[in-house]
Amino acid sequence: MSIKKKFLSLPKLKVSDLTIIAVMIALSFILNKVGIHTQYIVITPTFIVTVLLCYLYGPIWMSIILGITDILFTFIGGGGVYIPGFTISAMLTGFIYGTFLFKDHKFKALNLILAQIIISLFVHIFLNTLWLTLYNGIDWKIIIISRVIKELILVPIQLVVLAGIFHIPMVQKLIKDHWG
């Protein structure tokens, strides 16, 4: 399979795909309300929905969908002030997960681990800290330690949860039907 087909293809979405995406975005909206929300750290289970959608729909669609979702969540969900940098982070997250997971008919833990590490280091620790410091006008050294500790704790937990999710029969059926 060529690189262009694997990473840059924009598969046609059927009505059933749009339905799955809409339901998953609604679920993500609900999951976003459950968790820990502080000024500098947000911990929610929305990563589960993000990874499943990236696995099914790839980097291009998920970059678009996560960008739109970030904007909608901010304005509809009362997420506070809109910061365009977080939309960029959401889009990059979709692109990275989609690049590593899309069109792999069988779940590969190594791909998930690599994607999770890149997202954690580049998007969560570097970019999101940058957006917070630019928006809040504070020195990055003040919040970086708490953000690094958060990632060190959450990445292994997220990996275990995601590995478990991919072994749930209903999720396997969804994937099998999608790639069928």
Side-chain angles (χ1 to χ4, degrees):
M1 179 179 298
S2 74
I3 291 175
K4 183 179 178 187
K5 265 194 169 177
K6 167 117 171 130
F7 301 117
L8 300 177
S9 65
L10 194 61
K12 293 184 183 196
L13 297 178
K14 300 176 282 197
V15 173
S16 61
D17 293 322
L18 294 174
T19 304
I20 290 169
I21 291 168
V23 168
M24 296 294 266
I25 288 173
L27 178 60
S28 183
F29 184 80
I30 293 166
L31 291 174
N32 191 45
K33 298 296 181 186
V34 177
I36 299 169
H37 295 268
T38 71
Q39 187 174 4
Y40 303 117
I41 294 177
V42 175
I43 301 170
T44 67
T46 57
F47 68 94
I48 298 167
V49 174
T50 299
V51 170
L52 286 173
L53 285 173
C54 289
Y55 191 86
L56 296 174
Y57 298 104
I60 304 301
W61 272 124
M62 287 316 299
S63 294
I64 295 166
I65 291 166
L66 290 178
I68 293 168
T69 301
D70 179 73
I71 294 167
L72 286 175
F73 281 17
T74 301
F75 291 115
I76 294 172
V81 177
Y82 174 68
I83 301 171
F86 288 119
T87 303
I88 293 168
S89 291
M91 293 174 77
L92 282 170
T93 297
F95 189 81
I96 293 166
Y97 274 133
T99 299
F100 278 88
L101 300 175
F102 183 56
K103 292 201 177 179
D104 284 327
H105 304 291
K106 296 203 183 228
F107 171 72
K108 294 179 184 165
L110 180 60
N111 288 355
L112 178 62
I113 292 167
L114 291 172
Q116 193 72 35
I117 289 171
I118 291 168
I119 290 167
S120 179
L121 292 174
F122 181 67
V123 177
H124 295 165
I125 292 175
F126 177 71
L127 283 180
N128 288 353
T129 301
L130 175 66
W131 309 138
L132 286 169
T133 58
L134 290 174
Y135 172 71
N136 290 318
I138 61 168
D139 187 6
W140 65 272
K141 295 176 208 153
I142 294 172
I143 61 172
I144 193 68
I145 298 298
S146 62
R147 296 186 60 74
V148 169
I149 290 170
K150 174 197 125 185
E151 291 301 315
L152 287 172
I153 293 169
L154 281 185
V155 168
I157 293 169
Q158 289 176 337
L159 288 171
V160 168
V161 168
L162 290 169
I165 294 288
F166 277 100
H167 289 91
I168 294 174
M170 189 169 90
V171 172
Q172 288 179 343
K173 181 178 179 347
L174 174 71
I175 292 167
K176 184 178 178 184
D177 290 349
H178 180 78
W179 295 114

